[in-house]
Amino acid sequence: MTAIGMHVLLIHLSGTPLYAAEIANSLLKLGNEVDALVAERNVDENYFNEDISISTVGISSNKETLLRSLSPLTYYRLLKEIKTIDPDVIHITQGFFWLNPVLPFLTSYSLVFTDHEPEETNDVTFYDRTQLYTWSKHHMRSVADSIIVHGEYLKSVLMSKKVPEDKLKALDHGTYRYYRQFDSRQDKDKNELNILFFGLIADYKGIDVFGEAIPAIMENCPRATVTIAGGGDIEKYLSDEVVSLDSVRIYDEFIPDNQVGQLFRQADVVVLPYKSGSQSGVLTIAYEYRTPVVVTDVGGLPEVVDNGETGYVVPPNDSDALASSILDVIKYPEKKQQMERKINEKVESELSWDIICEELVEHYNSLLRG
């Protein structure tokens, strides 16, 4: 039986803290005391259970953040906040360079760091591409007592970077339950077979390859529709022919939380045609909605897809294979329903945060005992 009752501080200082919130909510459910320390500009208390204490760090606009980073008071206040919370375990679920100067003063705590992108090849923001970001991550890896990665592939990447194997813990990445609260009662259009690409637009996402597959999909399945949704210049990756199709809907903007669920609920298949990558939160949202996926054989994606059962794994940069697998899902209802059942089994037995966090708590306890 999992030991419970510890005090955990989750620190998430970059990006939406939904990942931290899913872990926090499950840790609380398991009987632990949980605090969260998140960036001021990204905090949304709706992510977290009301019994979780939330503190904010003054990371706001880029200009304000840069100015504050020059002040020693910033680091003093951050350290003081952590010391006041005084947890048993500190789990950095998403770091930021403000943390690095205070890490040497936190050696009395068990320190855990989730490394989401060990390869460091697919970072898309300005900060992600700086040497400061690279140094910050390497420093966190060196001082952490344990590094969490989501999958054996990512574990092997860090081992190739000379990170000791006994410092690494591979866990499944749970599904994002949060979006369910925004589900509308709008029924799915049964006359459409919708293919969804969702997420931030970047070169490595393979949207151009997906675009090459779309004409063949439409030719073989006239009921097919395509939704491409995410912030970025989507149209530069697609031909004029594809952009002009009535069956292709493009939303080149950030999709707010209250609209995410509707997109996934309307989808018959979610496509991740990535040319490279480590993992994807998009895949776990698709699974939360029990929607089959077609992914490419890159990074840790194949570990999450039971090929032929919960979706398909195809070679990267292969538009023919991509089109064929998408058609295999949407044209055969019985096959799709069978996949949906398999996804449900997988989520219930492997990808529930409650199950994953039982193992995580055991890991925390092993660090405390050590």
Side-chain angles (χ1 to χ4, degrees), residues 134-145:
T134 302
W135 170 81
S136 175
K137 284 190 70 172
H138 290 190
H139 181 233
M140 287 183 191
R141 289 173 189 160
S142 68
V143 301
D145 297 302

Side-chain angles (χ1 to χ4, degrees), residues 3-8 24 26-34 357 361:
I4 60 175
M6 69 179 65
H7 184 187
V8 181
S26 288
L27 289 176
L28 183 73
K29 190 183 295 186
L30 289 170
N32 301 283
E33 182 181 356
V34 184
C357 283
V361 169

Side-chain angles (χ1 to χ4, degrees), residues 15-79:
T16 302
L18 183 53
Y19 170 82
E22 292 282 5
I23 293 175
N25 294 337
S26 288
L27 289 176
L28 183 73
K29 190 183 295 186
L30 289 170
N32 301 283
E33 182 181 356
V34 184
D35 281 75
L37 186 60
V38 300
E40 181 181 286
R41 66 181 173 190
N42 295 320
V43 66
D44 185 339
E45 294 187 1
N46 293 321
Y47 290 158
F48 295 89
N49 184 290
E50 62 182 9
D51 291 326
I52 293 170
S53 299
I54 302 171
S55 304
T56 60
V57 176
I59 299 173
S60 51
S61 68
N62 290 339
K63 180 179 179 180
E64 189 69 25
T65 299
L66 180 60
L67 290 173
R68 289 175 179 172
S69 70
L70 301 176
S71 171
L73 278 175
T74 295
Y75 307 102
Y76 170 77
R77 289 167 180 161
L78 178 58
L79 179 60

Side-chain angles (χ1 to χ4, degrees), residues 130-327:
T130 63
Q131 285 298 114
L132 179 60
Y133 171 77
T134 302
W135 170 81
S136 175
K137 284 190 70 172
H138 290 190
H139 181 233
M140 287 183 191
R141 289 173 189 160
S142 68
V143 301
D145 297 302
S146 177
I147 301 170
I148 302 294
V149 289
H150 291 298
E152 293 297 327
Y153 171 79
L154 299 185
K155 180 178 177 180
S156 70
V157 169
L158 285 179
M159 288 175 62
S160 72
K161 295 176 181 286
K162 309 302 182 185
V163 178
E165 184 176 7
D166 61 3
K167 197 173 186 175
L168 301 172
K169 176 68 174 177
L171 292 173
D172 290 322
H173 191 305
T175 63
Y176 285 122
R177 301 164 290 191
Y178 170 76
Y179 297 109
R180 285 287 191 180
Q181 67 182 297
F182 301 112
D183 280 0
S184 72
R185 296 183 179 181
Q186 179 181 343
D187 292 331
K188 185 182 185 312
D189 187 342
K190 295 182 179 179
N191 293 317
E192 292 186 355
L193 297 170
N194 185 248
I195 306 155
L196 174 64
F197 175 96
F198 179 86
L200 184 67
I201 306 305
D203 291 345
Y204 76 91
K205 295 289 186 75
I207 302 172
D208 54 335
V209 181
F210 181 37
E212 293 169 4
I214 288 174
I217 295 170
M218 298 304 176
E219 181 180 349
N220 286 277
C221 185
R223 290 173 56 201
T225 61
V226 171
T227 301
I228 303 176
D233 187 0
I234 295 173
E235 293 189 10
K236 82 172 186 177
Y237 297 99
L238 304 174
S239 68
D240 293 340
E241 175 194 359
V242 168
V243 171
S244 65
L245 291 172
D246 291 337
S247 53
V248 175
R249 305 174 189 128
I250 296 175
Y251 304 96
D252 53 351
E253 59 191 4
F254 174 79
I255 308 300
D257 288 348
N258 61 3
Q259 296 177 23
V260 171
Q262 185 62 24
L263 288 173
F264 280 85
R265 207 164 73 85
Q266 294 292 324
D268 291 279
V269 61
V270 175
V271 59
L272 290 80
Y274 298 175
K275 298 179 179 181
S276 61
S278 295
Q279 59 184 347
S280 175
V282 173
L283 197 161
T284 64
I285 302 174
Y287 275 1
E288 175 61 31
Y289 283 84
R290 289 12 179 209
T291 304
V293 296
V294 177
V295 309
T296 46
D297 188 5
V298 298
L301 296 182
E303 289 183 57
V304 193
V305 180
D306 300 324
N307 196 21
E309 294 190 351
T310 64
Y312 288 108
V313 180
V314 301
N317 297 299
D318 189 336
S319 59
D320 291 338
L322 191 68
S324 177
S325 292
I326 290 170
L327 287 166

Side-chain angles (χ1 to χ4, degrees), residues 311-370:
Y312 288 108
V313 180
V314 301
N317 297 299
D318 189 336
S319 59
D320 291 338
L322 191 68
S324 177
S325 292
I326 290 170
L327 287 166
D328 198 57
V329 176
I330 63 176
K331 287 185 69 175
Y332 304 102
E334 291 184 2
K335 177 67 173 178
K336 178 174 174 287
Q337 290 168 8
Q338 184 180 14
M339 285 185 166
E340 290 168 348
R341 288 192 293 270
K342 288 290 186 180
I343 293 169
N344 187 64
E345 292 173 7
K346 188 175 185 70
V347 171
E348 295 296 326
S349 63
E350 300 174 30
L351 302 182
S352 159
W353 279 115
D354 294 346
I355 294 172
I356 294 165
C357 283
E358 286 187 2
E359 187 175 355
L360 182 59
V361 169
E362 290 283 7
H363 184 60
Y364 289 161
N365 272 307
S366 71
L367 296 175
L368 292 173
R369 289 193 297 268

